[in-house]
mmCIF file of all heavy atoms in Angstrom:
data_model
loop_
_atom_site.group_PDB
_atom_site.id
_atom_site.type_symbol
_atom_site.label_atom_id
_atom_site.label_comp_id
_atom_site.label_asym_id
_atom_site.label_seq_id
_atom_site.Cartn_x
_atom_site.Cartn_y
_atom_site.Cartn_z
ATOM 1 N N ALA B 197 61.425 -13.964 -21.483
ATOM 2 C CA ALA B 197 60.410 -13.484 -22.426
ATOM 3 C C ALA B 197 60.946 -13.454 -23.850
ATOM 4 O O ALA B 197 60.260 -13.860 -24.798
ATOM 5 C CB ALA B 197 59.932 -12.089 -22.013
ATOM 6 N N THR B 198 62.185 -12.986 -23.986
ATOM 7 C CA THR B 198 62.780 -12.906 -25.324
ATOM 8 C C THR B 198 62.996 -14.313 -25.874
ATOM 9 O O THR B 198 63.628 -15.151 -25.234
ATOM 10 C CB THR B 198 64.127 -12.148 -25.260
ATOM 11 O OG1 THR B 198 63.899 -10.872 -24.681
ATOM 12 C CG2 THR B 198 64.708 -11.997 -26.655
ATOM 13 N N GLY B 199 62.429 -14.558 -27.009
ATOM 14 C CA GLY B 199 62.596 -15.868 -27.632
ATOM 15 C C GLY B 199 61.684 -16.942 -27.083
ATOM 16 O O GLY B 199 61.835 -18.118 -27.427
ATOM 17 N N ALA B 200 60.727 -16.557 -26.211
ATOM 18 C CA ALA B 200 59.816 -17.556 -25.651
ATOM 19 C C ALA B 200 58.915 -18.120 -26.749
ATOM 20 O O ALA B 200 58.598 -17.436 -27.732
ATOM 21 C CB ALA B 200 58.960 -16.918 -24.556
ATOM 22 N N SER B 201 58.501 -19.358 -26.572
ATOM 23 C CA SER B 201 57.578 -19.961 -27.537
ATOM 24 C C SER B 201 56.281 -19.154 -27.552
ATOM 25 O O SER B 201 55.889 -18.569 -26.544
ATOM 26 C CB SER B 201 57.284 -21.404 -27.129
ATOM 27 O OG SER B 201 56.704 -21.424 -25.842
ATOM 28 N N PRO B 202 55.627 -19.093 -28.711
ATOM 29 C CA PRO B 202 54.394 -18.295 -28.768
ATOM 30 C C PRO B 202 53.305 -18.884 -27.876
ATOM 31 O O PRO B 202 53.243 -20.090 -27.666
ATOM 32 C CB PRO B 202 53.997 -18.358 -30.247
ATOM 33 C CG PRO B 202 54.713 -19.549 -30.800
ATOM 34 C CD PRO B 202 55.958 -19.718 -29.998
ATOM 35 N N SER B 203 52.482 -18.006 -27.346
ATOM 36 C CA SER B 203 51.387 -18.456 -26.494
ATOM 37 C C SER B 203 50.347 -19.198 -27.321
ATOM 38 O O SER B 203 50.071 -18.817 -28.460
ATOM 39 C CB SER B 203 50.726 -17.247 -25.814
ATOM 40 O OG SER B 203 49.540 -17.659 -25.164
ATOM 41 N N PRO B 204 49.782 -20.263 -26.769
ATOM 42 C CA PRO B 204 48.694 -20.936 -27.483
ATOM 43 C C PRO B 204 47.404 -20.120 -27.469
ATOM 44 O O PRO B 204 46.452 -20.456 -28.150
ATOM 45 C CB PRO B 204 48.525 -22.246 -26.707
ATOM 46 C CG PRO B 204 49.034 -21.936 -25.338
ATOM 47 C CD PRO B 204 50.115 -20.909 -25.503
ATOM 48 N N PHE B 205 47.398 -19.052 -26.672
ATOM 49 C CA PHE B 205 46.192 -18.235 -26.546
ATOM 50 C C PHE B 205 46.442 -16.884 -27.224
ATOM 51 O O PHE B 205 47.404 -16.189 -26.897
ATOM 52 C CB PHE B 205 45.833 -18.031 -25.079
ATOM 53 C CG PHE B 205 45.781 -19.322 -24.301
ATOM 54 C CD1 PHE B 205 46.524 -19.480 -23.143
ATOM 55 C CD2 PHE B 205 45.011 -20.383 -24.734
ATOM 56 C CE1 PHE B 205 46.494 -20.668 -22.430
ATOM 57 C CE2 PHE B 205 44.974 -21.585 -24.034
ATOM 58 C CZ PHE B 205 45.715 -21.724 -22.882
ATOM 59 N N ILE B 206 45.584 -16.507 -28.139
ATOM 60 C CA ILE B 206 45.799 -15.285 -28.911
ATOM 61 C C ILE B 206 44.570 -14.376 -28.852
ATOM 62 O O ILE B 206 43.526 -14.756 -28.318
ATOM 63 C CB ILE B 206 46.130 -15.623 -30.379
ATOM 64 C CG1 ILE B 206 45.011 -16.468 -30.984
ATOM 65 C CG2 ILE B 206 47.461 -16.345 -30.489
ATOM 66 C CD1 ILE B 206 45.187 -16.750 -32.465
ATOM 67 N N ASP B 207 44.729 -13.184 -29.389
ATOM 68 C CA ASP B 207 43.627 -12.207 -29.455
ATOM 69 C C ASP B 207 43.020 -11.953 -28.070
ATOM 70 O O ASP B 207 41.801 -11.940 -27.905
ATOM 71 C CB ASP B 207 42.520 -12.681 -30.412
ATOM 72 C CG ASP B 207 43.025 -12.826 -31.830
ATOM 73 O OD1 ASP B 207 44.048 -12.197 -32.157
ATOM 74 O OD2 ASP B 207 42.403 -13.574 -32.604
ATOM 75 N N LEU B 208 43.881 -11.765 -27.084
ATOM 76 C CA LEU B 208 43.381 -11.587 -25.726
ATOM 77 C C LEU B 208 42.673 -10.243 -25.560
ATOM 78 O O LEU B 208 43.171 -9.210 -25.986
ATOM 79 C CB LEU B 208 44.536 -11.658 -24.724
ATOM 80 C CG LEU B 208 44.905 -13.030 -24.172
ATOM 81 C CD1 LEU B 208 45.445 -13.935 -25.257
ATOM 82 C CD2 LEU B 208 45.905 -12.904 -23.038
#
Side-chain angles (χ1 to χ4, degrees):
Chain B
T198 304
S201 60
S203 171
F205 309 126
I206 57 175
D207 298 338
L208 271 66

